[in-house]
């Protein structure tokens, strides 16, 4: 059923038809983009689970085999790097990678048009970036420190932009940041000016940057979906007047 639902959402983006859904738009936009780039024309109705795709090119939306292979390898690589950073044990990191590669649940999820593999990518990316940024604590404001801190913010925006359950990794990174700042505040050799720089860097990379990217996702979402569809009725008359094909399109709406 989920593949039917998110497959239809992807076709809405290809047809530029406005719809309403409970999840943020990033994951569905990426599904639609994959279908568009692979030649899917958005005509398959996705009416009920189990319908045959026949001549419709759905491979791009499900993800070609190479993509599934690459995504599995990247996920196992990210997790093994995290374990290596946390445990400093190469056998533990390799064991973790093998467990993920041969996990039946991950293999099954990656075969269908779902948001979960995309969400897992950003969740693991945020956690990996946080761990790598912590490992650069002895050289703050270096190029690598800025890179991993910024990548953490980008991954947080991606996780929240796919599903709201990404809030949990936001809380994880937030608690880690609070503990980090608390330790810096207790460091008597660190001046208040330097502590202020640390605080400002985290506000910029972990709050302002994710918020800007999250807002930009919705800007793209509303720019692409400019045609009337099944989601019109959830919004105001003024908004409906901006949708091509709506009964109120280009009608003057009194204040």
């Amino acid at each position: 059923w989920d593949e039917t639902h998110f497959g239809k959402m992807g076709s809405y983006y290809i047809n530029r038809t406005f719809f309403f859904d409970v999840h943020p738009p990033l994951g569905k936009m990426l599904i639609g983009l994959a279908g568009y780039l692979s030649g899917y024309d958005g005509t398959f109705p996705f009416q009920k689970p189990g319908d045959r795709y026949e001549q419709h090119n759905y491979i791009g939306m499900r993800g070609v085999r190479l993509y599934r292979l690459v995504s599995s390898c990247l996920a196992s690589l990210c997790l093994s790097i995290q374990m290596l950073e946390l445990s400093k044990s190469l056998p533990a990191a390799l064991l973790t990678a093998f467990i993920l590669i041969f996990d039946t649940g991950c293999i099954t999820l990656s075969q269908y048009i779902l948001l979960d593999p995309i969400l897992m990518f950003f969740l693991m990316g945020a956690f990996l970036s946080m761990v790598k940024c912590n490992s650069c604590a002895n050289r703050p404001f270096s190029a690598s420190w800025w890179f991993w801190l910024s990548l953490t913010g980008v991954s947080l925006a991606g996780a929240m932009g796919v599903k709201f359950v990404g809030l949990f990794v936001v809380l994880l990174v937030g608690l880690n940041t609070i503990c980090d700042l608390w330790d810096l505040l207790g460091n008597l050799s660190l001046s208040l000016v330097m502590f202020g720089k640390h605080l400002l860097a985290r506000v910029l990379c972990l709050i302002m940057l994710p918020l800007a990217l999250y807002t930009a996702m919705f800007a793209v979402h509303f720019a692409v979906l400019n045609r009337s569809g099944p989601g019109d009725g959830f919004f105001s008359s003024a908004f409906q007047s901006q949708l091509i094909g709506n009964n109120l399109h280009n009608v003057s709406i009194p204040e």
Side-chain angles (χ1 to χ4, degrees), residues 7-229:
K8 183 179 291 187
M9 301 298 103
S11 64
Y12 282 151
Y13 280 103
I14 295 175
N15 296 318
R16 307 193 69 173
T17 303
F18 188 79
F19 67 94
F20 179 79
D21 190 51
V22 296
H23 298 297
L26 179 59
K28 299 183 289 291
M29 284 196 294
L30 293 176
I31 290 173
L33 178 63
Y36 176 77
L37 294 177
S38 61
Y40 171 62
D41 57 5
T43 56
F44 186 73
F46 287 100
Q47 291 182 344
K48 63 180 184 295
D51 283 346
R52 294 185 177 275
Y53 290 99
E54 302 297 342
Q55 78 280 4
H56 297 279
N57 188 353
Y58 65 94
I59 299 298
M61 299 180 74
R62 275 192 173 177
V64 294
R65 294 179 181 178
L66 178 61
Y67 166 76
R68 293 205 298 268
L69 175 63
V70 171
S71 62
S72 298
C73 291
L74 285 177
S76 61
L77 178 62
C78 287
L79 193 57
S80 61
I81 292 175
Q82 293 168 15
M83 288 301 299
L84 188 61
E85 290 286 344
L86 293 174
S87 67
K88 306 299 180 182
S89 172
L90 182 59
L94 293 176
L95 177 61
T96 305
F98 281 120
I99 290 175
L100 181 62
I101 289 176
F102 295 106
D103 183 85
T104 306
C106 290
I107 295 174
T108 303
L109 284 176
S110 65
Q111 293 179 352
Y112 298 103
I113 306 172
L114 301 173
L115 299 181
D116 301 88
I118 305 173
L119 174 65
M120 287 297 296
F121 173 80
F122 286 111
L123 290 177
M124 297 181 69
F127 188 77
L128 172 64
S129 302
M130 181 189 72
V131 171
K132 295 293 291 184
C133 185
N134 288 341
S135 67
C136 299
N138 58 342
R139 50 184 190 279
F141 305 108
S142 62
S144 59
W145 186 86
W146 278 110
F147 172 78
W148 290 114
L149 188 64
S150 301
L151 191 58
T152 303
V154 172
S155 300
L156 291 179
M160 282 294 296
V162 175
K163 277 187 174 183
F164 287 122
V165 73
L167 177 64
F168 287 105
V169 77
V170 175
L171 293 176
L172 173 65
V173 173
L175 290 174
N176 177 79
T177 303
I178 291 173
C179 292
D180 188 26
L181 290 174
W182 181 257
D183 290 338
L184 291 173
L185 186 61
N187 186 356
L188 299 180
S189 63
L190 193 71
S191 66
L192 287 179
V193 174
M194 186 58 65
F195 175 79
K197 291 181 179 179
H198 276 278
L199 177 62
L200 181 60
R202 285 157 177 80
V203 169
L204 290 175
C205 294
L206 301 181
I207 297 179
M208 302 305 296
L209 178 59
L211 283 177
L213 293 176
Y214 188 77
T215 305
M217 295 173 198
F218 279 93
V220 175
H221 169 78
F222 288 115
V224 173
L225 304 181
N226 62 351
R227 299 182 182 277
S228 180

Side-chain angles (χ1 to χ4, degrees), residues 12-13 15-20 218-253:
Y12 282 151
Y13 280 103
N15 296 318
R16 307 193 69 173
T17 303
F18 188 79
F19 67 94
F20 179 79
F218 279 93
V220 175
H221 169 78
F222 288 115
V224 173
L225 304 181
N226 62 351
R227 299 182 182 277
S228 180
D232 297 17
F234 292 97
F235 292 84
S236 66
S237 299
F239 179 83
Q240 294 181 44
S241 67
Q242 306 299 316
L243 299 174
I244 300 173
N246 189 282
N247 294 331
L248 300 177
H249 181 56
N250 285 336
V251 174
S252 177
I253 305 297

